[in-house]
Amino acid sequence: MKLVVVSAGLSVPSSTRLLGDRLAGATAERTSADVQVVELRDLAVEIAHNFTTGFPGPALGAALEAVASADGLIVVTPVFSASYSGLFKSFFDVLDPEALAGKPVLVAATGGSARHSLVLEHALRPLFAYLRAVVVPTGVYAASEDWGAEGLVERISRAAGELAGLMNGLVAGRAASSSPVSLPTQGAAEVVRGGGFEVVPFEQQLAALRPE
C-alpha cells in the first residue's frame, strides 16, 4: 500500500511540510503504508515548462506517476490570497484529470491566521470533488498559533483515521474483486467483510425480496 503526500510549502523548514509529515505518520500507523513525499517547490520549473511544451520533465513525470498510483493521498498547501497556492493548483492542472477518480484524499492547509481556515471548504474540497476524488470528512487547517496548542493533534488523528479507513477498504475491495466470485444461493446469508464494514451482496438482497 502506498501513501503519497503532496506538499506545496516553499520555505525550509516548512510548516506545510511539517503538517504533511504528521498526517502521513498518523495514517501510516493505521495502514502500514509506504510514504512518499512530493515537494512541489522542487518541481516548479518543470511544471511551468509542462504548460508551454505539453510534456513533463523527468522529475515531474515521476511525481505525477506516484500520485496516480497511490492508494491514498494527503495534499497540503499554504494559504495565499485566501486560497491554495498557484504552485499547488498548477501541479493538479497538469495531472491527468482521471488520475484521482475514486482515490481517497485528505486535504490540509497552513496559514498565519485562523481566519483562513475555511479555505478547506471553499477551495480545496471543491477542487478535489471536481477531480472525482473521495475527500475524507475531516480536513486539517493549522494556523501559526495552532502548533503546540490543544486540538491540532486530535484533528490530525481523526483525519488520519478517516483516510486510513478508506485506504484499507479500497485495498480490501481490490483483493476481494481479484478472488473468484460465486453467487450465493437464494436465501443464503453471505456477508462480505472488509475495511471494517459488512456488506450484503446486492443479488442476495434482491433474492430475499422475491416470494418463495
Side-chain angles (χ1 to χ4, degrees), residues 34-92:
D34 295 324
V35 178
Q36 179 178 347
V37 179
V38 174
E39 285 276 15
L40 296 188
R41 63 184 176 82
D42 297 333
L43 303 173
V45 173
E46 289 194 21
I47 291 173
H49 286 169
N50 195 155
F51 280 112
T52 58
T53 66
F55 298 97
L60 177 58
L64 295 173
E65 174 58 29
V67 168
S69 63
D71 296 297
L73 197 63
I74 295 172
V75 297
V76 196
T77 178
V79 175
F80 288 170
S81 301
S83 187
Y84 38 64
S85 71
L87 179 60
F88 181 87
K89 180 60 162 57
S90 295
F91 176 77
F92 289 101

Side-chain angles (χ1 to χ4, degrees), residues 20-195:
D21 287 344
R22 291 194 178 182
L23 288 165
T27 304
E29 288 177 358
R30 296 165 168 83
T31 60
S32 300
D34 295 324
V35 178
Q36 179 178 347
V37 179
V38 174
E39 285 276 15
L40 296 188
R41 63 184 176 82
D42 297 333
L43 303 173
V45 173
E46 289 194 21
I47 291 173
H49 286 169
N50 195 155
F51 280 112
T52 58
T53 66
F55 298 97
L60 177 58
L64 295 173
E65 174 58 29
V67 168
S69 63
D71 296 297
L73 197 63
I74 295 172
V75 297
V76 196
T77 178
V79 175
F80 288 170
S81 301
S83 187
Y84 38 64
S85 71
L87 179 60
F88 181 87
K89 180 60 162 57
S90 295
F91 176 77
F92 289 101
D93 281 344
V94 300
L95 181 69
D96 186 324
E98 300 297 319
L100 299 187
K103 194 181 300 294
V105 175
L106 191 166
V107 297
T110 58
S113 168
R115 293 177 299 171
H116 294 304
S117 61
L118 286 178
V119 69
L120 298 173
E121 306 303 324
H122 72 68
L124 284 165
R125 198 175 295 276
L127 170 63
F128 290 96
Y130 172 78
L131 294 172
R132 296 190 292 128
V134 180
V135 185
V136 304
T138 301
V140 179
Y141 178 82
S144 299
E145 63 266 25
D146 288 329
W147 296 102
E150 184 178 354
L152 181 59
V153 172
E154 289 75 11
R155 295 200 303 275
I156 288 173
S157 178
R158 182 167 62 249
E162 293 168 356
L163 179 60
L166 288 174
M167 291 175 63
N168 288 330
L170 182 63
V171 172
R174 287 174 181 167
S177 65
S178 64
S179 302
V181 177
S182 58
L183 293 177
T185 58
Q186 184 171 338
E190 179 177 334
V191 175
V192 177
R193 293 180 172 82

Side-chain angles (χ1 to χ4, degrees), residues 6-34:
V6 177
S7 171
L10 298 179
S11 59
V12 181
S14 165
S15 61
T16 301
R17 172 62 187 272
L18 177 60
L19 180 57
D21 287 344
R22 291 194 178 182
L23 288 165
T27 304
E29 288 177 358
R30 296 165 168 83
T31 60
S32 300
D34 295 324

